[in-house]
Amino acid sequence: MKTITLVAFDNFTDIDLFLMWDILGRNRHDWRVRIVGKQGRLRSAHGLLVDTHGALAEANQADVVLFARGKEGVPAALAEPDFMNAFQLDPTRQLIGSICGGSFILAQLGLLPGRRAATHPEARGALRAAGVEPDQRPFMSVGNVATAGGCLAALYLVGWVVERLFGAGKSLETLRPVLPAGQYELYEKIIVASIREGRDGTGG
Amino acid sequence: MKTITLVAFDNFTDIDLFLMWDILGRNRHDWRVRIVGKQGRLRSAHGLLVDTHGALAEANQADVVLFARGKEGVPAALAEPDFMNAFQLDPTRQLIGSICGGSFILAQLGLLPGRRAATHPEARGALRAAGVEPDQRPFMSVGNVATAGGCLAALYLVGWVVERLFGAGKSLETLRPVLPAGQYELYEKIIVASIREGRDGTGG
């Protein structure tokens, strides 16, 4: 049973967390997905109150660690020693990823290979200012670290995680239940191509 | 200021509610979106606790009413008189829609034109058993009532709502922030075509 940890914080962008949560949460046999945060309860950017499942430190033992985004949430988290110091992540034994502005956290944790990341188009200027080169692709992976940009690119990030853990077949099987009815082939082509084109030829 | 009500219940499917919530919640000027439920706090199918913003009856005054889905949540809601009797909806003055199994609620409320609806492929058999003809398209609209199937078809449902309220330009402007980086044209083509092909030529 693999463990997948979704890292959140106050003012996380609702969909960035919930999309990964919902897609991964449908499988209760191959992995266990948990939302961790500094507080027992977090408030989303749009004001939803969500109870977390565990402490940030859980991420350090997880097989997979994915960081959500938050326009105000990420800067606040980056400035919080209690938040940043909780992480002792290791890309040699963990799959690590971020959606949109979550890449700023990976950058500050020194986890971005080549200090390059995919992120939300609106965040590219700030990413460059943080010393990270924004990648124009919606998804990019180098080895065990992946970044995605644009909320729905969470499909590519989740697809990559499941493919790395259980193979391409299980990846599509995991995503299919959330795809629009009658358009599976159309979306699966886009998903497979986006994950493949995001690879930097290092086995990622 | 338009009012958009998202109707939920215990065991609602996480992403079906949160995707509509997040996309619509980014605009605070043209409309106000609220989640209503029978209880002040609802538990999602995957166990998230979410506080609602108001009572079910709010839906009766809203400009737009959208029903979430829930594999166990919808059957339970259908069997609950307090839930079903709270609604006095009127498609002549309201835009009404559902995602996936939410169509069962529209069916029982007698709101489905021609007793036909788009829904999640897995729910088509049960829909037919409920006396409703499943439409194979991911999205269909007839006049002021629309149904969508497959969680991500919420993009089409939300797009249709905004297009009907504020035009096609505002619709794409509303969806763009959640689309994968660098793939706006690709997804916008699919979204526009899916909404158009879902129309039954009655102005929907």
Side-chain angles (χ1 to χ4, degrees):
Chain A
M1 174 79 106
K2 299 290 186 181
T3 56
I4 301 176
T5 301
L6 307 181
V7 180
F9 30 75
D10 277 330
N11 289 306
F12 66 86
T13 299
D14 301 54
I15 199 61
D16 288 44
L17 180 67
F18 295 136
L19 190 54
M20 298 191 290
W21 164 258
D22 184 281
I23 296 171
L24 290 166
R26 290 160 188 249
N27 181 322
R28 318 244 167 130
H29 311 294
D30 299 311
W31 56 75
R32 191 179 62 136
V33 56
R34 289 170 50 97
I35 298 172
V36 302
K38 207 188 97 189
Q39 304 92 321
R41 170 172 289 185
L42 300 174
R43 179 181 292 275
S44 78
H46 294 168
L48 293 185
L49 294 172
V50 172
D51 292 339
T52 51
H53 306 115
L56 295 172
E58 263 193 34
N60 302 328
Q61 271 61 51
D63 298 297
V64 181
V65 184
L66 302 175
F67 287 86
R69 165 220 183 192
K71 197 171 180 179
E72 283 115 37
V74 166
L78 290 171
E80 228 179 307
D82 288 356
F83 180 88
M84 297 303 291
N85 296 337
F87 300 107
Q88 302 292 334
L89 305 180
D90 178 1
T92 66
R93 60 173 175 80
Q94 299 177 294
L95 293 177
I96 299 170
S98 67
I99 181 77
C100 298
S103 54
F104 286 89
I105 299 174
L106 295 192
Q108 189 160 317
L109 290 173
L111 293 168
L112 288 179
R115 293 194 66 75
R116 182 176 189 88
T119 193
H120 195 286
E122 291 174 7
R124 286 175 182 162
L127 195 66
R128 194 173 280 111
V132 176
E133 181 56 27
D135 192 281
Q136 303 301 304
R137 294 169 292 184
F139 170 83
M140 74 165 282
S141 65
V142 177
N144 289 347
V145 179
T147 52
C151 308
L152 291 185
L155 290 172
Y156 312 150
L157 184 61
V158 168
W160 171 79
V161 165
V162 178
E163 183 177 331
R164 288 296 306 276
L165 294 176
F166 297 95
K170 171 78 76 174
S171 174
L172 290 180
E173 174 194 319
T174 300
L175 296 173
R176 202 167 291 130
V178 305
L179 300 180
Q183 299 183 322
Y184 292 173
E185 273 189 30
L186 173 65
Y187 277 84
E188 287 176 358
K189 264 192 204 131
I190 296 172
I191 291 165
V192 168
S194 299
I195 294 174
R196 190 184 58 239
E197 290 160 12
R199 281 206 192 91
D200 275 340
T202 59
Chain B
M1 174 78 104
K2 299 289 186 181
T3 56
I4 301 176
T5 300
L6 307 181
V7 181
F9 30 77
D10 276 329
N11 288 307
F12 67 85
T13 299
D14 301 55
I15 200 61
D16 288 45
L17 180 67
F18 295 137
L19 190 54
M20 298 191 290
W21 163 257
D22 185 280
I23 296 171
L24 290 166
R26 290 161 188 249
N27 181 322
R28 317 242 167 130
H29 309 294
D30 300 312
W31 55 77
R32 191 179 62 137
V33 56
R34 294 179 35 109
I35 298 172
V36 302
K38 208 189 98 187
Q39 305 92 321
R41 167 172 292 183
L42 300 174
R43 179 182 293 274
S44 77
H46 294 169
L48 293 184
L49 294 171
V50 173
D51 293 340
T52 52
H53 305 114
L56 294 172
E58 263 193 34
N60 303 328
Q61 271 61 51
D63 297 296
V64 181
V65 184
L66 302 175
F67 287 85
R69 165 219 183 195
K71 198 172 179 179
E72 282 115 38
V74 166
L78 289 170
E80 229 179 308
D82 288 356
F83 181 89
M84 297 304 292
N85 295 336
F87 300 107
Q88 302 292 335
L89 304 180
D90 178 1
T92 66
R93 59 174 175 81
Q94 300 178 292
L95 293 177
I96 299 171
S98 67
I99 180 78
C100 299
S103 53
F104 287 89
I105 300 175
L106 295 193
Q108 189 161 318
L109 290 173
L111 293 168
L112 287 180
R115 294 195 64 76
R116 183 177 189 86
T119 193
H120 195 287
E122 290 173 8
R124 286 173 182 163
L127 196 66
R128 194 173 281 111
V132 176
E133 181 57 26
D135 193 281
Q136 302 302 305
R137 294 169 291 183
F139 170 83
M140 74 164 283
S141 67
V142 177
N144 288 348
V145 179
T147 52
C151 309
L152 290 184
L155 291 171
Y156 312 150
L157 184 61
V158 168
W160 171 79
V161 165
V162 177
E163 183 178 330
R164 288 295 307 276
L165 293 176
F166 297 95
K170 171 77 76 175
S171 175
L172 290 181
E173 174 194 318
T174 300
L175 296 173
R176 200 167 292 129
V178 307
L179 300 180
Q183 300 183 321
Y184 293 173
E185 275 190 28
L186 173 65
Y187 277 85
E188 287 176 0
K189 264 190 205 136
I190 296 172
I191 291 165
V192 168
S194 299
I195 295 174
R196 190 185 58 237
E197 289 161 13
R199 282 206 192 89
D200 275 338
T202 59

